Amino acid sequence: MTIERFFASGLATDIILCVMLLELLVLSLIYRRNGRGIAPLDLFFSLGAGAGLVLALRATLTGAGVGWIGAALLLSFCLHVVDQLRRARKTHQV
């Protein structure tokens, strides 16, 4: 498989999404075992926003319609806003 095919098929983004999911699971497990690190829900919103961008990239690379790209970007934006609001509340800024 050529590098062009690797990206054009969406496989590269699939691997990135799998690694992000693994990161969420491992860090959540660590948090639950010893209470250290980022709370799983906070981690979900942070990684979710990034995952939305990766999904938009995947849709673009694989030739999906503009609706799918827009939906992925909207998902990313919504998760990002929630993440930022949660962070602001923790620092008593909102």
Side-chain angles (χ1 to χ4, degrees), residues 38-94:
I38 302 170
L41 191 58
D42 293 332
L43 193 58
F44 170 79
F45 287 115
S46 180
L47 286 173
L53 293 175
V54 176
L55 286 171
L57 174 62
R58 186 185 197 295
T60 302
L61 290 172
T62 59
V66 69
W68 287 108
I69 298 166
L73 291 173
L74 180 61
L75 171 68
S76 178
F77 175 72
C78 291
L79 291 173
H80 175 68
V81 168
V82 171
D83 181 39
Q84 293 304 305
L85 288 173
R86 290 174 60 85
R87 289 177 193 231
R89 283 191 191 122
K90 285 185 177 183
T91 59
H92 307 290
Q93 293 177 357
V94 172

Side-chain angles (χ1 to χ4, degrees), residues 12-27 47:
T13 56
D14 293 343
I15 292 170
I16 292 168
L17 289 168
C18 287
V19 169
M20 291 176 80
L21 179 60
L22 182 63
E23 178 182 10
L24 175 65
L25 295 173
V26 168
L27 292 177
L47 286 173

